[in-house]
Amino acid sequence: MYHNNTLFTFINQIPQTTIVFLMGWILQFRDRNLFLFFVSFSTIITIMLLTKSDTNFRDKDNKNLVAHKLTELEMRVDQLTTLYDSKDTEIKEMMKHFSLTLRSITNSLNLTVLNAFETVTSAYDKSVEIFKTQMGVIDLSTFLPHLKSLRNGLRPLVLHSGDRHSVSIVFGIPTVGRQQKTYLISTLINLVNNMNEKEKKDSLIVVMIGETDAEYVQQVTKEIKNRLSNVMHTGLIDVIAPYYDYYPNFSKLRLTLGDSLERVRWRSKQNLDYVFLMMYCRPRGLFYVQLEDDVVSKPQFQSVMKNAALEKIRNSENWLILDFCRLGFIGKMIKCSDLPWIIQFIVMFYNDKPGDWLLDELVQTKACNREKDSRDCQKRKGEIWVTFKPSLFQHIGTKSSLNGKIQLLKDSNFRRKFNKRDK
């Protein structure tokens, strides 16, 4: 059977570096209308070519591949638009500061022209005073007030990075110091070994060391570089840490859920680690997957997750979370475009509940009708929080990062024997 797949082969062979270069070039447009016109025109032409080529396909697998490529392209266009909007906001903020600085300089010089201009416009300014009244802006510092006066609170300390962007999936792994056994290196080795070369080029693993002890942070970074030296130079793994002033004063936390201060501090800090990690990962890929530092995976897990996500998007299924592990916050896939909702929600209630509970609360808020019964609520939640079987990840740690806590839970849907080489 003849397959006219020349166009598909051409698209599939476009180097990743070329795509990244084109994305960077597009973002240089200062005219928003020109930017949107260029993106829309390029998308339409690509869709027309793919559609025309698709009529010549007779093989179902090739059709699905083309459909997934098209869905992925549409998502990348949406991400580019979002990044452009963010950049546009930053430019406007810079212009605002420049304007204030210029006004300060001219006021100090007491320029006659400026004074005359202000005299003429003062009456008009008073007539529209209500529109000049500044609204209170709600951001992360509203819920983390200690960040308002800090310069580096929300800036990551990048310990190693290949500056990789525009991947399909970003895997976020928070890790902290443990008094007993640590599982981080075995987790990273397992994840890398269970990816083929194509998956490695289309992924980014971000390890966030949630500690402010400089010596410990350097020690963990050095160990990652030594044990995974064969992949560190490829850009597959980024290692970051927060500055010391990111965390609030945990001794002033409210005691909630009847827990001790130690436990409240532990889960509150864990929530803020999630937030920091998500903020770093959001602009680097299409999908974000939350993992932990003590898991193992199944072979080719990346392709399974990516194909599942693209399939649901292509079928116009409105999902918020794709769940590839039943335990806690492990294996939860979220579109990077949806991360701001998750980040904001966790920040608002970081002191109140564990992160996986907050995720469930968010889904319930979005999905459930209070006038319906619990069975209807579960059904609606299941439509936007989709669980896959079998699971792709298994929790292997037994010693929690909370001193004295033993974690023996296992995902019964994970059916794979643990190989000794993964240890």
Side-chain angles (χ1 to χ4, degrees):
M1 184 180 295
Y2 176 74
H3 302 292
N4 182 13
N5 59 358
T6 304
L7 179 62
F8 172 76
T9 302
F10 170 74
I11 293 174
N12 197 39
Q13 290 179 349
I14 295 177
Q16 188 74 17
T17 53
T18 303
I19 296 175
V20 173
F21 173 79
L22 289 174
M23 287 182 175
W25 178 70
I26 290 172
L27 286 174
Q28 298 305 311
F29 287 123
R30 289 291 183 268
D31 189 318
R32 177 181 175 82
N33 292 330
L34 181 59
F35 168 79
L36 293 178
F37 170 78
F38 180 87
V39 172
S40 301
F41 178 77
S42 302
T43 304
I44 292 171
I45 294 299
T46 305
I47 291 173
M48 290 175 62
L49 290 173
L50 286 174
T51 303
K52 182 177 180 181
S53 176
D54 188 50
T55 60
N56 295 320
F57 282 92
R58 295 295 183 267
D59 186 270
K60 184 177 180 180
D61 290 338
N62 283 340
K63 285 185 178 181
N64 288 336
L65 285 173
V66 171
H68 280 186
K69 282 285 183 181
L70 180 57
T71 302
E72 187 176 353
L73 175 63
E74 291 173 346
M75 290 197 67
R76 292 191 185 281
V77 170
D78 290 339
Q79 186 189 36
L80 272 176
T81 305
T82 301
L83 291 176
Y84 181 91
D85 289 340
S86 300
K87 186 174 182 180
D88 190 47
T89 302
E90 292 176 4
I91 292 174
K92 290 179 180 178
E93 192 66 23
M94 290 173 61
M95 292 297 294
K96 177 182 176 182
H97 287 301
F98 175 76
S99 177
L100 292 174
T101 303
L102 182 61
R103 179 173 290 273
S104 175
I105 294 173
T106 53
N107 282 340
S108 64
L109 293 175
N110 195 24
L111 295 180
T112 304
V113 175
L114 178 64
N115 291 336
F117 176 77
E118 290 184 344
T119 300
V120 172
T121 59
S122 60
Y124 174 76
D125 287 343
K126 291 179 180 179
S127 68
V128 295
E129 187 67 31
I130 187 171
F131 298 107
K132 292 174 60 180
T133 302
Q134 197 173 37
M135 298 289 287
V137 178
I138 297 177
D139 56 19
L140 293 187
S141 63
T142 302
F143 308 101
L144 298 171
H146 71 285
L147 295 177
K148 289 182 179 179
S149 58
L150 299 178
R151 181 179 180 182
N152 295 318
L154 289 176
R155 294 186 179 183
L157 180 62
V158 180
L159 305 162
H160 177 88
S161 175
D163 197 29
R164 182 177 287 194
H165 291 75
S166 302
V167 299
S168 290
I169 305 180
V170 184
F171 298 92
I173 302 178
T175 187
V176 295
R178 299 172 186 257
Q179 288 190 351
Q180 299 184 33
K181 184 175 181 179
T182 178
Y183 307 89
L184 175 62
I185 299 300
S186 62
T187 294
L188 291 175
I189 292 175
N190 176 270
L191 294 175
V192 172
N193 287 344
N194 280 333
M195 287 187 192
N196 58 37
E197 290 306 313
K198 183 178 179 181
E199 291 171 326
K200 291 176 185 178
K201 293 178 181 178
D202 195 29
S203 303
L204 174 64
I205 299 172
V206 179
V207 178
M208 178 206 162
I209 307 173
E211 300 288 352
T212 55
D213 182 340
E215 184 176 347
Y216 176 80
V217 170
Q218 291 176 1
Q219 173 189 332
V220 174
T221 304
K222 183 178 180 180
E223 186 176 8
I224 294 173
K225 289 182 176 180
N226 290 340
R227 296 290 301 277
L228 290 108
S229 58
N230 58 325
V231 296
M232 292 300 286
H233 69 280
T234 67
L236 175 59
I237 300 176
D238 278 10
V239 183
I240 65 172
Y243 279 89
Y244 71 92
D245 49 9
Y246 168 64
Y247 298 108
N249 185 347
F250 288 118
S251 66
K252 295 183 178 181
L253 292 173
R254 290 177 293 105
L255 297 183
T256 54
L257 302 181
D259 288 336
S260 65
L261 177 60
E262 182 183 10
R263 192 179 185 90
V264 173
R265 177 194 177 282
W266 172 73
R267 55 178 167 80
S268 297
K269 179 186 176 298
Q270 189 177 62
N271 284 336
L272 295 181
D273 287 345
Y274 292 150
V275 166
F276 194 88
L277 187 54
M278 289 177 181
M279 286 192 295
Y280 179 84
C281 294
R282 186 176 74 88
R284 287 167 169 75
L286 298 180
F287 305 105
Y288 173 80
V289 175
Q290 182 69 53
L291 294 178
E292 299 294 346
D293 63 354
D294 53 357
V295 300
V296 291
S297 62
K298 286 188 175 180
Q300 280 74 62
F301 62 92
Q302 194 265 12
S303 293
V304 175
M305 302 180 84
K306 177 181 176 179
N307 291 336
L310 293 177
E311 180 72 18
K312 289 195 169 295
I313 293 172
R314 185 165 66 91
N315 293 334
S316 301
E317 298 182 37
N318 184 28
W319 57 274
L320 179 66
I321 299 169
L322 298 186
D323 195 346
F324 296 91
C325 180
R326 294 190 307 118
L327 301 177
F329 220 144
I330 300 172
K332 307 300 184 279
M333 173 183 272
I334 304 163
K335 293 186 285 289
C336 285
S337 58
D338 286 337
L339 280 179
W341 299 86
I342 311 294
I343 292 170
Q344 189 77 16
F345 198 84
I346 293 177
V347 168
M348 286 193 295
F349 302 105
Y350 80 94
N351 187 181
D352 297 285
K353 294 181 179 181
D356 53 335
W357 291 16
L358 292 178
L359 196 62
D360 184 75
E361 295 283 356
L362 173 59
V363 172
Q364 182 166 319
T365 300
K366 290 180 70 67
C368 296
N369 184 343
R370 293 185 61 183
E371 297 178 352
K372 303 287 185 177
D373 58 21
S374 59
R375 184 162 48 183
D376 180 78
C377 179
Q378 289 302 317
K379 177 183 176 182
R380 294 181 182 276
K381 286 173 63 177
E383 293 172 353
I384 63 174
W385 185 323
V386 184
T387 302
F388 285 81
K389 294 181 181 179
S391 299
L392 297 181
F393 303 96
Q394 178 65 286
H395 181 258
I396 60 171
T398 56
K399 304 292 185 180
S400 171
S401 55
L402 175 62
N403 293 336
K405 181 182 178 182
I406 304 298
Q407 179 63 276
L408 300 177
L409 291 177
K410 300 294 180 183
D411 188 341
S412 59
N413 290 327
F414 184 88
R415 304 185 189 95
R416 183 179 84 85
K417 291 183 179 180
F418 182 67
N419 297 324
K420 291 183 178 180
R421 68 181 179 82
D422 294 333
K423 293 183 179 181

